[in-house]
Amino acid sequence: MYRSLIGELQHSKTRAERDAKQVSKWRKNVKAEIPIQVVARGLAMGLKMDDIIQPFWSRTQKFTRRMPVDHKVEFQVRPISGGSWVDEPFNFELLDESSNSSCGPKMSANIEAERRRVATVTGDPAWLIRDLTFTEVDVDGGSSFTERWSHEDIIAGDHLTAFKRLPPGP
């Protein structure tokens, strides 16, 4: 997905961070689109509506908290202008907490490393603060084990099928 956005992905040190309201947008969108049959199936399994729209389990395990809502394309590399689409529900997914909490800081560290590399190669320290437009994307390997649910998975009820296969208890 990132490679398809080459030239549009950007980073700026001067734009303000903001709350994307991704959890409320996710929940509102899923509630509006989830078929009544999927809701009925989840309720019949003893789940609450909150569990059905934002589960506390993945395909392989249960967690003590709900899976966090995260951006597919990271907020910090959204286009400098015209990037409001990054905060729309189609760019959200549920990610396991460990992956979710490490993705953003790891990307931030990689961006800072790239800034230092370019400043060193060019001899121009302005690259340490200049707006960046990415012309290449490298995958650094990251964690090979990331648990996620897409919007489509939840709407289809795939998470309910997975829940039935998991052992009882937390």
Side-chain angles (χ1 to χ4, degrees):
M1 179 186 306
Y2 278 82
R3 285 191 176 102
S4 71
L5 294 168
I6 294 292
E8 294 178 49
L9 301 174
Q10 298 178 311
H11 185 264
S12 176
K13 288 191 165 258
T14 59
R15 65 177 161 198
E17 285 296 318
R18 60 180 168 57
D19 180 8
K21 296 184 176 51
Q22 59 208 55
V23 173
S24 61
K25 287 180 180 182
W26 170 273
R27 291 164 94 47
K28 181 180 177 183
N29 186 263
V30 170
K31 276 183 182 178
E33 294 188 17
I34 195 164
I36 190 68
Q37 300 89 334
V38 173
V39 172
R41 183 173 160 219
L43 294 173
M45 294 168 63
L47 297 169
K48 299 175 188 162
M49 188 63 177
D50 283 346
D51 301 332
I52 297 167
I53 61 174
Q54 190 179 356
F56 57 87
W57 66 91
S58 68
R59 287 175 175 81
T60 63
Q61 63 185 311
K62 292 181 182 176
F63 305 109
T64 57
R65 296 176 10 181
R66 297 190 189 289
M67 291 180 73
V69 179
D70 193 23
H71 291 89
K72 292 178 188 176
V73 174
E74 281 288 330
F75 190 73
Q76 61 187 309
V77 294
R78 69 195 183 278
I80 292 169
S81 64
S84 62
W85 61 266
V86 173
D87 283 334
E88 293 304 319
F90 67 82
N91 189 44
F92 299 149
E93 64 185 347
L94 300 178
L95 208 56
D96 67 275
E97 193 157 346
S98 174
S99 298
N100 182 55
S101 64
S102 65
C103 287
K106 188 171 195 172
M107 180 175 277
S108 182
N110 288 343
I111 291 169
E112 289 309 311
E114 181 63 9
R115 286 180 174 284
R116 288 189 302 274
R117 186 193 72 76
V118 172
T120 300
V121 167
T122 63
D124 183 357
W127 285 107
L128 297 172
I129 57 170
R130 185 177 286 155
D131 289 348
L132 299 177
T133 299
F134 296 94
T135 59
E136 187 177 316
V137 176
D138 290 325
V139 178
D140 68 1
S143 170
S144 60
F145 188 73
T146 300
E147 300 265 21
R148 62 175 32 99
W149 290 117
S150 69
H151 174 268
E152 293 77 18
D153 294 333
I154 300 297
I155 298 300
D158 294 349
H159 63 310
L160 300 178
T161 302
F163 184 80
K164 284 179 71 172
R165 290 190 204 125
L166 295 174

